[in-house]
Amino acid sequence: MYVVGEYVFRANEGICRISEIGHPDFQNSKGERMYYILIPKGDTKTKIYIPTEPEPIGIRRLISKDEALKLIQNIQYISPINIANEKQREQEYKKALRSNDPFQLAAIIKTLYTREQFRTTQGKKTTAMDKNYFQRAEKLLYSELATVLGVDEISIPDRIKAVVAGNNSFMIS
């Protein structure tokens, strides 16, 4: 059970704060079903309603500081997503985003970064779809990492690059 004021991670939206637990504003009658009412970080006008029972789908607690550091330390060992059929590429990206798993977000980033490097060597541009999913995965993952580590989101890519380059000391300032 989550509590009011707690921050959670919701697939596709990212970090949200539980503003209330109750009945939605739009319900005419006070139904028995209770909802978590989520407010996405940085968007106070949007409300997301998630039933409290059965077990809420698509939300999870934020990773811990230790888990964030472990993810960053091991990011170079995370395997890119194996996409055997090019026609199913977007489906695999969507599946990884919906997984609500920070390691899957890192896998999307690695997959698309590698793909971009390969396409560049062939004189091709990054596809709009790849760029879109890369940016979404980065925003979701980097936002969570920055929040739990208490650092500026803009510094996360450089910190990850430093670890991958062999500087194993991820410093939190």
Side-chain angles (χ1 to χ4, degrees):
M1 180 97 177
Y2 302 101
V3 296
V4 172
E6 184 174 2
Y7 283 91
V8 294
F9 191 90
R10 175 157 162 79
N12 290 324
E13 274 80 32
I15 298 174
C16 298
R17 184 180 55 80
I18 298 176
S19 67
E20 346 173 12
I21 301 173
H23 302 285
D25 300 339
F26 56 82
Q27 270 188 343
N28 293 334
S29 62
K30 295 285 184 191
E32 291 181 21
R33 194 169 215 186
M34 299 289 283
Y35 288 80
Y36 293 111
I37 302 169
L38 310 178
I39 307 293
K41 186 177 178 180
D43 181 4
T44 58
K45 295 179 192 226
T46 300
K47 288 184 179 180
I48 301 166
Y49 299 90
I50 306 288
T52 59
E53 293 181 13
E55 184 67 27
I57 297 172
I59 63 172
R60 63 170 169 78
R61 286 191 161 74
L62 298 182
I63 60 176
S64 69
K65 187 175 186 178
D66 287 341
E67 290 168 322
L69 291 170
K70 184 180 276 188
L71 184 146
I72 292 169
Q73 293 295 339
N74 292 302
I75 206 158
Q76 59 194 346
Y77 306 112
I78 295 172
S79 299
I81 299 170
N82 184 14
I83 301 172
N85 182 341
E86 281 296 313
K87 292 182 180 184
Q88 293 186 343
R89 177 171 293 283
E90 185 170 20
Q91 297 312 96
E92 292 298 319
Y93 296 158
K94 285 180 182 179
K95 181 178 163 187
L97 282 174
R98 283 192 308 263
S99 75
N100 216 3
D101 178 355
F103 285 89
Q104 285 295 308
L105 294 174
I108 290 173
I109 293 166
K110 284 187 76 169
T111 301
L112 292 171
Y113 178 79
T114 303
R115 182 171 156 83
E116 178 184 21
Q117 297 304 307
F118 179 73
R119 289 180 65 84
T120 300
T121 63
Q122 293 183 325
K124 296 179 181 177
K125 291 184 179 182
T126 302
T127 67
M129 179 184 68
D130 284 356
K131 189 178 285 190
N132 175 38
Y133 282 99
F134 183 80
Q135 289 171 344
R136 286 173 61 190
E138 271 193 322
K139 181 181 183 315
L140 292 169
L141 181 62
Y142 296 172
S143 172
E144 184 172 16
L145 291 174
T147 298
V148 299
L149 294 173
V151 299
D152 189 349
E153 190 174 326
I154 216 161
S155 72
I156 295 293
D158 288 337
R159 292 168 185 251
I160 290 172
K161 286 176 191 168
V163 170
V164 172
N167 179 0
N168 291 331
S169 59
F170 182 85
M171 300 302 292
I172 300 172
S173 43

